[in-house]
Amino acid sequence: MLARNVCKLTQTMGRLRAVRAAEQLRRSSLRTAGTWTGGQQVVRAPTLGDSHSSNGMVYAFTAAFTFSLFGNSSEKEETPEDKLVTTIKRSILCIQREQFDKAEQMLHLALRMAQDLQSKDGVTYVYDLMANLAMEREQFKKAEKIFADVMKRLFADGHSEESPKVSLRLLCFRLLNYYRRPLQILHISSKIAHMSQLQGDLEKSFQGFTWTLQQLAKVLEKVPEDKDIQELYGLTKNWFGQLLMKQGNYAEARKLFQEAYDALLEVYGAATDAAITILNNISVAYVNLEKYAEARQTLLLAMDLAKELKDVSQEGILQANLGLVYLREGLMKEAENACRLAWKLGKQHENSDAVEQAEYCLDEIKATLNGGKRK
C-alpha cells in the first residue's frame, strides 16, 4: 500500500510526494508518510514497519510479547492459554493484511478469552492491540483513550494504591520509574504524541515527543546496543521531524530525519522500504531549505535503494519528485526526462500515485516554459 505525501515546496514550486513507509521500522512504526501541504507534512497513522505502517514496527513489537505474557506450552493438547495466543496471532495477521473488521472481531473474542482466564496481562495486551488497530484505522480519539487505559492498567498492576486519575504525563514518569518494561510505556507515549499531531494538537504533540525523546536518550545511555530502543528512538525522531516540517522548522526536521535514518541503518541496514521513505522526507526538508543539490543526491540514493528492492511503485514517485527538484534547479531537460520516466513507470505498473505526480510535474514544466506558474 502506498502512503502518499504531497508537498508544496514554495510558492513557485509544486509538490513532492512522499513514498510509502514500510512498516518498516516496524516495531513501532517508522512508517512515515502522509500528505505534505504547504510545506507541511501530515502523516497518516501508522504503522513503523509497514509495507504499511502497521505491518511493521507496531505489530512486530507487540507480537514479541505474546509468549512472554502467556508462555509457550509444550503440551500437545491445546490449552485455553494456547487458544488465546492463537487468536491474538490471527488478529495481528488480519491487521497486517488490512482486514480490519475481522481483526476487531477477533480481538474482542481474545478479550473475552483473557477475561475468562482472569489474565490481567492478557487483557492489557489485547487492549494494547485494540489501540494499535484504532490508530491504524485513523480512529485517533479512540486509540488515544485506549492507550491511556493501557498505561493506567500497567501502572495499577504494580501500584494499585495510586490514584487512577493521575495525569497522563505524571503517569508516564511513574511508569518509567517503576514498571519493568519501560519501553512499552515510551512506545505508547510516542504514538500518543504522533496522534496528537494528526489531530492538529501541535503543542501537545511537541511536548509529548520532547519528553519521550529525553527519556529514550536516558535509556540508551544505559543500554546503547539495545536494538529495540534504537528502533523506537528512530521512529520517534521520524515522527517528530514530520511535526517540525508542519511547523516550518525545516533545518531541525532534516536533522531529525537524518538521525532517524541512521538509527534505521543501525537496526536493519539500508535496503528497506522505510529507508526510502525517510530519505524522501530528508529530500523534502532540503528543498524547503533551498538546498537543491542535496535534495537531488538524497533522492538519487533513495532511487538506488528502490531499484535494489525492485520496488517500482516507490521508484515512480521518486522519479517524479526528482523531476520537480530538477525543475527548481532550472534543469528543464533533466526535469522533463525524469517526469516522463515516472509517468511511464506509473502506467506500466498501474500506479495511479506515480502517474498523478508525474502529470503534475509535467504541467509545472509546461507552465514554466510558457513563462509562468499555473494556478
Side-chain angles (χ1 to χ4, degrees):
M1 179 175 192
L2 190 67
R4 305 189 305 173
N5 277 352
V6 180
C7 176
K8 289 196 173 177
L9 303 174
T10 65
Q11 289 183 346
T12 59
M13 174 81 171
R15 62 188 179 182
L16 287 186
R17 175 162 294 176
V19 294
R20 79 170 178 231
E23 186 73 343
Q24 61 153 292
L25 262 188
R26 271 188 135 161
R27 232 172 249 170
S28 223
S29 305
L30 260 188
R31 156 200 212 150
T32 287
T35 300
W36 291 82
T37 308
Q40 302 172 349
Q41 184 184 41
V42 180
V43 182
R44 302 188 184 202
T47 296
L48 211 211
D50 32 302
S51 262
H52 188 45
S53 68
S54 333
N55 299 343
M57 270 188 158
V58 173
Y59 298 104
F61 182 86
T62 52
F65 286 14
T66 303
F67 289 102
S68 64
L69 283 174
F70 306 109
N72 184 9
S73 175
S74 60
E75 299 177 8
K76 293 183 178 180
E77 184 177 352
E78 192 175 35
T79 66
E81 290 81 4
D82 295 330
K83 293 179 180 178
L84 173 57
V85 171
T86 298
T87 303
I88 290 174
K89 285 181 177 179
R90 288 174 177 170
S91 69
I92 293 174
L93 184 61
C94 288
I95 294 172
Q96 292 173 336
R97 292 174 175 173
E98 299 184 19
Q99 299 171 345
F100 298 138
D101 290 338
K102 185 176 180 180
E104 187 156 6
Q105 292 174 359
M106 297 197 74
L107 284 174
H108 281 288
L109 174 61
L111 179 61
R112 290 195 297 271
M113 295 168 70
Q115 291 170 337
D116 290 342
L117 288 169
Q118 297 183 339
S119 170
K120 290 183 178 180
D121 281 342
V123 170
T124 301
Y125 181 68
V126 174
Y127 276 137
D128 184 66
L129 286 175
M130 286 178 167
N132 281 307
L133 175 58
M135 183 176 176
E136 182 67 16
R137 305 182 82 170
E138 302 185 12
Q139 299 170 345
F140 301 125
K141 295 284 188 184
K142 177 180 178 180
E144 184 171 351
K145 180 180 183 301
I146 301 175
F147 275 134
D149 289 342
V150 169
M151 295 175 78
K152 290 178 182 179
R153 287 182 62 85
L154 291 174
F155 179 75
D157 186 43
H159 305 277
S160 58
E161 73 280 1
E162 297 289 342
S163 169
K165 295 183 180 180
V166 65
S167 72
L168 189 58
R169 183 177 177 81
L170 179 58
L171 184 61
C172 289
F173 275 112
R174 292 178 177 174
L175 283 165
L176 187 63
N177 289 332
Y178 298 117
Y179 192 63
R180 68 184 181 278
R181 291 194 291 262
L183 186 58
Q184 278 184 293
I185 305 306
L186 293 176
H187 188 239
I188 292 174
S189 176
S190 181
K191 286 188 282 189
I192 289 177
H194 180 52
M195 288 188 293
S196 296
Q197 177 210 337
L198 298 180
Q199 295 176 87
D201 194 340
L202 304 189
E203 181 178 356
K204 178 180 177 181
S205 178
F206 186 92
Q207 292 175 350
F209 282 132
T210 300
W211 180 84
T212 303
L213 287 173
Q214 289 173 346
Q215 303 309 314
L216 281 169
K218 293 178 183 178
V219 176
L220 272 175
E221 288 180 359
K222 299 177 182 177
V223 283
E225 303 302 320
D226 190 299
K227 298 299 184 183
D228 288 337
I229 297 173
Q230 290 176 4
E231 182 181 56
L232 180 55
Y233 204 37
L235 163 70
T236 304
K237 287 191 173 186
N238 184 53
W239 279 346
F240 196 14
Q242 294 168 8
L243 170 64
L244 294 181
M245 288 293 293
K246 196 168 188 178
Q247 294 178 325
N249 190 348
Y250 307 124
E252 188 63 25
R254 189 214 62 79
K255 178 183 175 182
L256 286 171
F257 287 143
Q258 185 64 55
E259 291 172 354
Y261 179 71
D262 292 342
L264 177 63
L265 293 186
E266 184 69 23
V267 177
Y268 292 107
T272 64
D273 284 339
I276 297 172
T277 298
I278 298 176
L279 286 171
N280 188 77
N281 288 348
I282 293 172
S283 74
V284 174
Y286 273 133
V287 168
N288 281 279
L289 291 168
E290 299 185 359
K291 295 184 176 182
Y292 306 116
E294 290 89 341
R296 172 166 34 87
Q297 291 302 317
T298 304
L299 280 172
L300 289 172
L301 176 57
M303 288 170 59
D304 287 342
L305 292 180
K307 291 176 181 177
E308 182 179 346
L309 293 172
K310 298 181 180 179
D311 191 340
V312 293
S313 63
Q314 301 206 72
E315 187 180 352
I317 289 178
L318 289 167
Q319 280 283 357
N321 286 353
L322 180 62
L324 288 170
V325 173
Y326 281 137
L327 175 62
R328 187 57 177 158
E329 292 182 288
L331 302 173
M332 307 303 293
K333 186 63 176 178
E334 290 85 348
E336 183 176 0
N337 289 342
C339 292
R340 289 194 181 283
L341 178 55
W343 188 89
K344 181 179 179 180
L345 287 170
K347 283 292 187 179
Q348 182 179 351
H349 300 285
E350 299 181 351
N351 184 339
S352 60
D353 290 324
V355 171
E356 179 184 347
Q357 190 72 346
E359 289 177 346
Y360 178 90
C361 178
L362 291 168
D363 286 343
E364 290 296 308
I365 294 171
K366 184 183 299 184
T368 301
L369 292 173
N370 290 335
K373 187 178 185 309
R374 67 184 177 88
K375 300 287 185 180

